[in-house]
Amino acid sequence: MDRFRLHHDLVKDPASYELIDVGRGRRLEAFGSLVVDRPAPGAIGPPRDPARWASALTYRAGRGWATSEGERPPENEVDVQLAEVTMRAHLGGGGQVGIFPEHAVNAAWLRSSITSRSTDSAPVEVLNLFAHTGLLTLVAAGAGASVVHVDSSRPAVAAARQNAALSHLDDRPVRWIVDDAARFVRREHRRGKRYAGFILDPPTYGHGGRDHGAHGWQFETGIEPLIEACQAITAPDAFWILSTHTPGWDGLRLAGLLGDGAGSDGQGIHARPLELRAGSGAVLRLGAAALFDPLRPHSR
């Protein structure tokens, strides 16, 4: 049995996610029973609901995660339902939890772009680069797509496969690839491969070895060549989701970049913020996205 396949009758119902409050460079979130206080550089101003923060599990750089009493957390993971798939939240290094809930805003748009292309003859082929722990990979697979999931982090790909099992999607046609994104795209071009959909969520910086020089991947210098390389493997009327958490890149700037790289005159490219609204009423801005589907020019 594949080590990521789970006995579904033993899997507990997934919990829910909530952004509770933000402030002073921190975010307070509930991943089911895990209530966590972790860094959020975009959280400006004071918290709106300070009483809710007292008992959270807190991440501090150099000290890791701790309870309000300063002890190691007795529980460090929980399964969470988000965008109709199940993801495992885990208290990891750097304050990461293995889930990026802000990307759920693009799930409905992605499903519609896939279902509008679906036929009985073959599934829609989607390439997800910098795919992390697989939220949009699983959304696409659940909508009937055949997905190639690419990330250079072996632990991230392993977590994505586990999330597929938790979501009962481990039997769907997904290729799990540990590789550099640019290198993989060039190899697909040599093979004559074509994709009907692209999902790109590159980091601001990352390791890239010889493919990106001594300084590794950098969004500012790497994203335009990567989109151009992807353009060489697009099927006719391919759709795109391009997102980033890189400072200085809002939705309109991403839309302009995507319009140039995808061969569009800008018509039908929609920009949107990646943001979460807290129960306290505060808004946490985490990045931006640009979406383009030539078959749905007025979709949002």
Side-chain angles (χ1 to χ4, degrees):
M1 178 181 292
D2 187 291
R3 67 190 181 97
F4 294 102
R5 186 179 295 274
L6 305 180
H7 295 287
H8 294 159
D9 58 340
L10 299 179
V11 177
K12 297 179 181 178
D13 291 336
S16 59
Y17 167 80
E18 180 190 5
L19 178 64
I20 301 170
D21 196 14
V22 300
R24 296 194 178 95
R26 312 284 300 181
R27 57 198 288 180
L28 182 67
E29 299 164 287
F31 295 88
S33 59
L34 294 179
V35 179
V36 301
D37 166 4
R38 60 189 181 122
I44 301 171
R48 298 191 182 189
D49 192 1
R52 296 287 301 277
W53 295 70
S55 59
L57 304 174
T58 302
Y59 179 85
R60 302 288 182 188
R63 288 183 283 176
W65 292 96
T67 67
S68 56
E69 290 79 26
E71 300 174 351
R72 295 187 64 179
E75 180 184 13
N76 69 354
E77 63 181 31
V78 67
D79 297 338
V80 176
Q81 188 169 61
L82 191 66
E84 300 180 26
V85 300
T86 302
M87 307 283 289
R88 177 155 292 173
H90 176 82
L91 303 183
Q96 296 299 319
V97 294
I99 301 178
F100 299 87
E102 62 272 19
H103 290 285
V105 70
N106 291 325
W109 188 96
L110 175 60
R111 287 192 186 97
S112 294
S113 288
I114 291 169
T115 56
S116 68
R117 289 168 168 78
S118 297
T119 67
D120 293 333
S121 59
V124 177
E125 301 221 28
V126 175
L127 177 60
N128 189 0
L129 299 175
F130 308 97
H132 310 297
T133 54
L135 175 62
L136 292 186
T137 288
L138 300 181
V139 169
S146 173
V147 187
V148 177
H149 173 110
V150 182
D151 198 280
S152 62
S153 167
R154 191 172 299 276
V157 174
R161 294 190 66 187
Q162 182 181 62
N163 290 332
L166 293 169
S167 300
H168 302 182
L169 294 170
D170 45 336
D171 60 343
R172 300 300 174 94
V174 180
R175 289 176 59 202
W176 307 100
I177 307 293
V178 179
D179 202 351
D180 173 82
R183 183 166 54 233
F184 180 80
V185 170
R186 289 197 301 271
R187 191 161 62 247
E188 292 292 85
H189 179 50
R190 291 194 296 270
R191 293 168 175 163
K193 185 67 177 177
R194 295 289 184 268
Y195 289 93
F198 293 81
I199 305 167
L200 286 77
D201 182 46
T204 302
Y205 301 102
H207 300 294
R210 63 180 184 275
D211 288 88
H212 304 294
H215 300 291
W217 163 267
Q218 297 183 55
F219 185 90
E220 293 282 353
T221 57
I223 187 58
E224 187 172 352
L226 180 59
I227 291 177
E228 291 176 357
C230 288
Q231 179 63 22
I233 60 172
T234 58
D237 296 324
F239 69 81
W240 296 73
I241 297 177
L242 172 63
S243 58
T244 185
H245 299 80
T246 301
W249 284 83
D250 61 14
L252 292 177
R253 189 178 178 190
L254 281 180
L257 176 67
L258 185 57
D260 293 339
S264 166
D265 59 2
Q267 295 296 316
I269 298 181
H270 304 297
R272 62 172 42 155
L274 293 180
E275 62 183 21
L276 298 170
R277 185 170 295 276
S280 66
V283 175
L284 178 60
R285 293 178 174 84
L286 294 160
L291 302 88
F292 174 52
D293 185 344
L295 300 185
R296 304 166 59 222
H298 305 296
S299 67
R300 293 188 181 273

